[in-house]
Amino acid sequence: MKNIYIIGVGLIGGSLALDIKKHDHKVKIFGIDHNENHLEEAMQLNVIDAKATYEDLKNADLVIMSIPVDAAVNEIIKVLDLVSDDALVLDVGSTKAEICKAIEEHPKRRNFLATHPIAGTEYSGPKAAILGLYQNKTNIICEVEKTAFKLQEQALKLFSDLGMRIRYMNPEAHDKHIAYVSHLSHISSFMLGKTVIDKERNERDIFDMAGSGFASTVRLAKSSPEMWTPIFKQNKANVLETLDEFIINLQEFRKFMHEDDFEAIYSEMKNTNYIKEILNGIQ
Protein backbone atom coordinates (compact mmCIF):
# COMPACT_ATOMS: atom_id res chain seq x y z
CA MET A 1 0.00 0.00 0.00
CA LYS A 2 2.04 2.92 -1.31
CA ASN A 3 -0.61 5.51 -2.20
CA ILE A 4 -2.71 6.30 0.86
CA TYR A 5 -5.52 8.83 0.83
CA ILE A 6 -6.90 10.22 4.06
CA ILE A 7 -10.29 11.92 3.90
CA GLY A 8 -10.38 14.22 6.92
CA VAL A 9 -6.90 15.25 8.10
CA GLY A 10 -7.76 16.05 11.73
CA LEU A 11 -6.77 14.32 14.96
CA ILE A 12 -7.66 10.74 14.00
CA GLY A 13 -6.75 10.81 10.31
CA GLY A 14 -3.68 12.93 10.91
CA SER A 15 -2.39 10.67 13.67
CA LEU A 16 -2.82 7.65 11.41
CA ALA A 17 -0.86 9.49 8.72
CA LEU A 18 2.01 10.23 11.10
CA ASP A 19 2.18 6.63 12.34
CA ILE A 20 2.02 5.15 8.85
CA LYS A 21 4.75 7.48 7.56
CA LYS A 22 7.03 6.64 10.46
CA HIS A 23 6.61 2.92 9.89
CA ASP A 24 7.05 3.05 6.10
CA HIS A 25 8.99 5.95 4.60
CA LYS A 26 8.11 4.83 1.06
CA VAL A 27 4.38 5.55 1.33
CA LYS A 28 2.89 8.76 0.02
CA ILE A 29 0.05 10.25 2.06
CA PHE A 30 -2.53 12.34 0.24
CA GLY A 31 -5.04 14.51 2.10
CA ILE A 32 -8.62 15.30 1.15
CA ASP A 33 -10.57 17.73 3.28
CA HIS A 34 -13.42 20.21 2.68
CA ASN A 35 -11.51 22.66 4.89
CA GLU A 36 -8.70 24.16 2.81
CA ASN A 37 -7.04 25.56 5.95
CA HIS A 38 -6.80 22.03 7.36
CA LEU A 39 -5.06 20.87 4.20
CA GLU A 40 -2.60 23.76 4.37
CA GLU A 41 -1.86 23.05 8.04
CA ALA A 42 -1.44 19.34 7.36
CA MET A 43 1.05 20.13 4.60
CA GLN A 44 3.02 22.55 6.79
CA LEU A 45 3.15 20.01 9.62
CA ASN A 46 4.20 17.19 7.25
CA VAL A 47 1.13 15.22 8.23
CA ILE A 48 0.40 14.71 4.53
CA ASP A 49 2.67 14.81 1.50
CA ALA A 50 0.22 16.31 -0.99
CA LYS A 51 -3.36 17.50 -1.43
CA ALA A 52 -5.79 15.47 -3.49
CA THR A 53 -9.41 15.29 -4.65
CA TYR A 54 -11.91 12.50 -5.12
CA GLU A 55 -10.85 12.27 -8.76
CA ASP A 56 -7.50 10.94 -7.56
CA LEU A 57 -8.99 8.04 -5.59
CA LYS A 58 -8.66 5.76 -8.60
CA ASN A 59 -4.93 5.67 -7.74
CA ALA A 60 -5.45 4.70 -4.10
CA ASP A 61 -4.15 1.52 -2.50
CA LEU A 62 -5.76 2.54 0.79
CA VAL A 63 -8.42 5.13 1.65
CA ILE A 64 -9.03 6.08 5.28
CA MET A 65 -12.26 7.96 5.97
CA SER A 66 -11.92 10.08 9.10
CA ILE A 67 -14.87 12.46 8.91
CA PRO A 68 -18.03 12.94 11.03
CA VAL A 69 -20.21 9.84 10.96
CA ASP A 70 -23.15 11.51 9.21
CA ALA A 71 -20.90 12.61 6.36
CA ALA A 72 -19.21 9.21 6.23
CA VAL A 73 -22.51 7.42 5.56
CA ASN A 74 -23.02 9.56 2.46
CA GLU A 75 -19.42 9.77 1.28
CA ILE A 76 -18.65 6.06 1.55
CA ILE A 77 -20.83 5.33 -1.49
CA LYS A 78 -18.96 7.90 -3.60
CA VAL A 79 -15.59 6.60 -2.43
CA LEU A 80 -16.38 2.97 -3.21
CA ASP A 81 -17.66 4.00 -6.62
CA LEU A 82 -14.31 5.62 -7.42
CA VAL A 83 -11.67 3.26 -6.04
CA SER A 84 -10.11 0.39 -7.97
CA ASP A 85 -11.08 -3.23 -7.40
CA ASP A 86 -7.85 -3.78 -5.42
CA ALA A 87 -8.15 -0.81 -3.06
CA LEU A 88 -8.96 -1.06 0.64
CA VAL A 89 -11.32 1.49 2.16
CA LEU A 90 -11.50 1.96 5.96
CA ASP A 91 -13.69 4.16 8.08
CA VAL A 92 -12.74 4.98 11.66
CA GLY A 93 -16.00 6.41 13.00
CA SER A 94 -17.51 5.92 16.44
CA THR A 95 -20.71 4.32 15.11
CA LYS A 96 -20.80 1.30 12.83
CA ALA A 97 -24.38 0.12 12.23
CA GLU A 98 -25.49 2.84 9.81
CA ILE A 99 -22.40 2.84 7.62
CA CYS A 100 -22.41 -0.96 7.36
CA LYS A 101 -26.07 -0.87 6.39
CA ALA A 102 -25.48 1.89 3.83
CA ILE A 103 -23.06 -0.21 1.77
CA GLU A 104 -24.34 -3.75 2.38
CA GLU A 105 -25.51 -4.06 -1.25
CA HIS A 106 -22.71 -2.05 -2.86
CA PRO A 107 -20.87 -3.98 -5.61
CA LYS A 108 -17.55 -3.11 -3.93
CA ARG A 109 -18.65 -4.07 -0.41
CA ARG A 110 -15.68 -6.48 -0.35
CA ASN A 111 -13.33 -3.45 -0.55
CA PHE A 112 -14.62 -1.93 2.71
CA LEU A 113 -13.60 -2.66 6.29
CA ALA A 114 -15.49 -1.06 9.18
CA THR A 115 -13.11 -0.12 12.00
CA HIS A 116 -13.12 1.95 15.16
CA PRO A 117 -9.76 2.65 16.81
CA ILE A 118 -10.49 3.48 20.45
CA ALA A 119 -8.10 6.41 20.66
CA GLY A 120 -8.16 10.17 20.60
CA THR A 121 -8.08 13.36 22.62
CA GLU A 122 -10.45 16.27 23.15
CA TYR A 123 -8.65 18.31 20.48
CA SER A 124 -9.31 18.50 16.76
CA GLY A 125 -7.69 19.58 13.51
CA PRO A 126 -4.29 18.70 11.99
CA LYS A 127 -2.40 20.35 14.85
CA ALA A 128 -3.96 17.79 17.20
CA ALA A 129 -2.38 14.83 15.35
CA ILE A 130 -0.13 12.75 17.61
CA LEU A 131 2.63 10.33 16.65
CA GLY A 132 2.09 7.02 18.46
CA LEU A 133 -1.57 7.68 19.29
CA TYR A 134 -2.60 4.12 18.43
CA GLN A 135 0.12 2.21 20.26
CA ASN A 136 -1.54 -0.42 22.53
CA LYS A 137 -5.02 0.88 21.69
CA THR A 138 -7.95 -1.39 20.83
CA ASN A 139 -9.33 -1.34 17.32
CA ILE A 140 -12.84 -2.71 16.86
CA ILE A 141 -13.49 -4.39 13.51
CA CYS A 142 -17.04 -5.11 12.34
CA GLU A 143 -18.25 -7.53 9.66
CA VAL A 144 -14.72 -8.60 8.80
CA GLU A 145 -16.09 -11.60 6.90
CA LYS A 146 -17.60 -9.25 4.29
CA THR A 147 -14.19 -7.85 3.33
CA ALA A 148 -12.01 -9.57 0.73
CA PHE A 149 -9.51 -11.82 2.50
CA LYS A 150 -6.47 -10.26 0.82
CA LEU A 151 -7.62 -6.81 1.98
CA GLN A 152 -8.29 -8.13 5.48
CA GLU A 153 -4.69 -9.31 5.63
CA GLN A 154 -3.40 -5.92 4.51
CA ALA A 155 -5.50 -4.12 7.11
CA LEU A 156 -4.48 -6.44 9.95
CA LYS A 157 -0.80 -6.06 9.08
CA LEU A 158 -1.19 -2.27 9.14
CA PHE A 159 -2.93 -2.35 12.52
CA SER A 160 -0.27 -4.69 13.90
CA ASP A 161 2.50 -2.43 12.62
CA LEU A 162 0.89 0.51 14.43
CA GLY A 163 0.69 -1.47 17.68
CA MET A 164 -3.09 -1.89 17.90
CA ARG A 165 -5.00 -4.70 19.57
CA ILE A 166 -7.91 -6.13 17.57
CA ARG A 167 -11.43 -7.06 18.68
CA TYR A 168 -14.24 -8.25 16.46
CA MET A 169 -17.90 -7.29 16.96
CA ASN A 170 -21.04 -7.01 14.93
CA PRO A 171 -22.07 -3.37 14.26
CA GLU A 172 -25.09 -3.43 16.56
CA ALA A 173 -23.11 -4.79 19.52
CA HIS A 174 -20.39 -2.23 18.90
CA ASP A 175 -22.82 0.68 18.93
CA LYS A 176 -24.51 -0.55 22.10
CA HIS A 177 -21.28 -1.07 24.05
CA ILE A 178 -19.65 2.15 22.86
CA ALA A 179 -22.70 4.13 24.01
CA TYR A 180 -21.84 3.15 27.58
CA VAL A 181 -18.07 3.47 27.61
CA SER A 182 -17.64 6.46 25.30
CA HIS A 183 -20.77 8.32 24.30
CA LEU A 184 -22.17 8.58 27.84
CA SER A 185 -18.80 9.84 29.07
CA HIS A 186 -18.91 12.70 26.59
CA ILE A 187 -22.50 13.61 27.47
CA SER A 188 -21.64 13.60 31.19
CA SER A 189 -18.64 15.84 30.57
CA PHE A 190 -20.58 18.29 28.40
CA MET A 191 -23.42 18.53 30.94
CA LEU A 192 -21.04 18.94 33.89
CA GLY A 193 -19.40 21.80 32.03
CA LYS A 194 -22.80 23.32 31.26
CA THR A 195 -23.91 23.05 34.90
CA VAL A 196 -20.81 24.85 36.14
CA ILE A 197 -21.01 27.54 33.44
CA ASP A 198 -24.71 28.14 34.21
CA LYS A 199 -24.09 28.39 37.95
CA GLU A 200 -20.69 30.04 38.14
CA ARG A 201 -21.15 33.23 36.15
CA ASN A 202 -17.71 34.51 37.13
CA GLU A 203 -15.22 32.86 34.80
CA ARG A 204 -12.36 33.75 37.13
CA ASP A 205 -13.98 31.72 39.92
CA ILE A 206 -14.13 28.67 37.65
CA PHE A 207 -10.50 29.09 36.65
CA ASP A 208 -9.20 29.67 40.19
CA MET A 209 -11.24 27.00 41.96
CA ALA A 210 -11.22 24.20 39.40
CA GLY A 211 -9.00 21.40 40.67
CA SER A 212 -7.55 18.45 38.81
CA GLY A 213 -10.69 16.40 39.48
CA PHE A 214 -12.91 18.90 37.71
CA ALA A 215 -10.40 19.39 34.90
CA SER A 216 -10.12 15.65 34.18
CA THR A 217 -13.88 15.08 34.41
CA VAL A 218 -14.80 17.99 32.14
CA ARG A 219 -11.94 17.40 29.68
CA LEU A 220 -14.19 15.80 27.09
CA ALA A 221 -16.43 18.87 27.02
CA LYS A 222 -13.70 20.46 24.90
CA SER A 223 -14.45 17.94 22.13
CA SER A 224 -15.83 18.99 18.76
CA PRO A 225 -19.64 19.41 18.64
CA GLU A 226 -19.41 18.99 14.87
CA MET A 227 -18.14 15.46 15.42
CA TRP A 228 -20.21 14.45 18.43
CA THR A 229 -23.68 15.67 17.49
CA PRO A 230 -23.88 13.26 14.50
CA ILE A 231 -22.62 10.43 16.72
CA PHE A 232 -25.42 11.00 19.22
CA LYS A 233 -27.92 11.21 16.37
CA GLN A 234 -26.81 7.97 14.74
CA ASN A 235 -26.67 6.09 18.03
CA LYS A 236 -29.79 7.69 19.50
CA ALA A 237 -31.52 4.53 20.76
CA ASN A 238 -28.45 3.24 22.58
CA VAL A 239 -27.55 6.68 23.95
CA LEU A 240 -31.07 7.12 25.34
CA GLU A 241 -30.84 3.73 27.05
CA THR A 242 -27.54 4.63 28.71
CA LEU A 243 -28.89 8.03 29.75
CA ASP A 244 -31.95 6.44 31.36
CA GLU A 245 -29.75 4.13 33.43
CA PHE A 246 -27.35 6.94 34.34
CA ILE A 247 -30.22 9.18 35.44
CA ILE A 248 -31.63 6.39 37.64
CA ASN A 249 -28.26 6.14 39.40
CA LEU A 250 -28.09 9.92 39.86
CA GLN A 251 -31.60 9.99 41.27
CA GLU A 252 -30.75 7.19 43.69
CA PHE A 253 -27.65 9.08 44.85
CA ARG A 254 -29.81 12.20 45.31
CA LYS A 255 -32.31 10.17 47.36
CA PHE A 256 -29.53 8.90 49.63
CA MET A 257 -28.38 12.49 50.17
CA HIS A 258 -31.89 13.65 51.07
CA GLU A 259 -32.26 10.81 53.53
CA ASP A 260 -28.80 11.33 55.08
CA ASP A 261 -28.04 7.73 54.15
CA PHE A 262 -24.30 8.10 53.90
CA GLU A 263 -23.73 4.43 54.60
CA ALA A 264 -25.52 3.69 51.33
CA ILE A 265 -23.44 6.34 49.55
CA TYR A 266 -20.25 4.82 50.97
CA SER A 267 -21.36 1.35 49.89
CA GLU A 268 -22.17 2.55 46.34
CA MET A 269 -18.79 4.25 45.98
CA LYS A 270 -16.94 1.30 47.52
CA ASN A 271 -18.58 -1.13 45.10
CA THR A 272 -17.86 1.18 42.19
CA ASN A 273 -14.16 1.24 43.13
CA TYR A 274 -14.00 -2.10 41.33
CA ILE A 275 -13.75 -0.06 38.14
CA LYS A 276 -10.06 0.35 39.04
CA GLU A 277 -9.52 -3.38 38.65
CA ILE A 278 -11.31 -3.41 35.29
CA LEU A 279 -9.33 -0.48 33.92
CA ASN A 280 -6.06 -2.02 35.09
CA GLY A 281 -6.67 -4.70 32.50
CA ILE A 282 -8.32 -8.09 32.24
CA GLN A 283 -5.72 -10.86 32.34
Side-chain angles (χ1 to χ4, degrees):
M1 295 190 290
K2 298 304 179 187
N3 294 317
I4 299 177
Y5 290 74
I6 297 183
I7 304 176
V9 292
L11 164 68
I12 300 300
S15 296
L16 279 167
L18 292 175
D19 280 358
I20 292 170
K21 289 173 72 172
K22 181 182 179 183
H23 181 77
D24 186 351
H25 298 296
K26 296 179 182 178
V27 301
K28 189 162 186 180
I29 306 284
F30 299 88
I32 299 175
D33 201 299
H34 74 281
N35 187 326
E36 184 64 27
N37 290 333
H38 279 183
L39 288 174
E40 291 293 338
E41 282 184 15
M43 288 282 290
Q44 292 170 10
L45 296 167
N46 293 317
V47 171
I48 61 174
D49 299 309
K51 302 177 189 178
T53 68
Y54 273 31
E55 293 178 359
D56 302 312
L57 291 179
K58 62 182 181 293
N59 303 314
D61 298 310
L62 170 64
V63 180
I64 300 172
M65 298 186 62
S66 180
I67 54 180
V69 294
D70 56 341
V73 168
N74 296 318
E75 297 302 303
I76 185 61
I77 304 296
K78 303 174 189 176
V79 171
L80 286 174
D81 286 344
L82 292 168
V83 296
S84 74
D85 291 338
D86 297 321
L88 171 64
V89 179
L90 308 175
D91 95 292
V92 294
S94 185
T95 55
K96 295 272 79 86
E98 282 206 26
I99 195 165
C100 288
K101 183 178 180 181
I103 49 86
E104 61 184 352
E105 301 297 332
H106 195 282
K108 289 181 182 171
R109 173 62 185 85
R110 62 189 294 280
N111 293 77
F112 175 72
L113 185 64
T115 75
H116 180 199
I118 311 297
T121 73
E122 66 273 29
Y123 302 108
S124 58
K127 290 180 180 178
I130 300 171
L131 182 66
L133 179 66
Y134 300 99
Q135 183 69 38
N136 297 322
K137 299 298 194 304
T138 299
N139 190 7
I140 309 296
I141 297 178
C142 297
E143 297 188 334
V144 66
E145 71 282 357
K146 295 185 179 181
T147 305
F149 184 71
K150 181 180 75 171
L151 299 180
Q152 289 181 38
E153 288 185 314
Q154 291 177 6
L156 292 174
K157 183 181 185 307
L158 172 65
F159 300 148
S160 175
D161 290 342
L162 301 189
M164 292 193 231
R165 301 186 298 263
I166 303 299
R167 281 207 60 185
Y168 297 96
M169 284 186 188
N170 67 60
E172 291 74 24
H174 167 275
D175 288 3
K176 185 177 182 67
H177 291 309
I178 209 70
Y180 282 92
V181 297
S182 173
H183 301 172
L184 181 60
S185 301
H186 282 79
I187 294 170
S188 302
S189 187
F190 275 114
M191 290 304 98
L192 173 59
K194 178 183 185 303
T195 302
V196 172
I197 290 170
D198 288 349
K199 184 65 177 177
E200 295 288 350
R201 297 297 182 180
N202 188 324
E203 294 180 9
R204 187 73 201 185
D205 286 344
I206 297 175
F207 181 82
D208 286 343
M209 299 177 68
S212 59
F214 175 78
S216 61
T217 307
V218 82
R219 175 181 65 85
L220 296 177
K222 294 182 280 186
S223 300
S224 165
E226 290 78 15
M227 181 178 77
W228 279 97
T229 303
I231 290 172
F232 298 147
K233 181 179 180 181
Q234 278 199 14
N235 209 21
K236 176 182 174 181
N238 290 315
V239 168
L240 283 173
E241 179 182 314
T242 66
L243 276 174
D244 287 342
E245 295 185 28
F246 187 49
I247 289 167
I248 288 170
N249 283 324
L250 289 175
Q251 289 173 331
E252 187 174 53
F253 191 95
R254 185 173 183 273
K255 176 174 173 286
F256 292 152
M257 290 289 292
H258 268 297
E259 296 173 352
D260 288 333
D261 192 350
F262 293 100
E263 288 187 8
I265 289 175
Y266 173 85
S267 178
E268 289 284 88
M269 292 191 296
K270 187 67 174 176
N271 291 336
T272 306
N273 274 168
Y274 180 62
I275 198 71
K276 291 187 293 186
E277 304 299 324
I278 297 173
L279 294 178
N280 281 338
I282 298 174
Q283 301 301 319

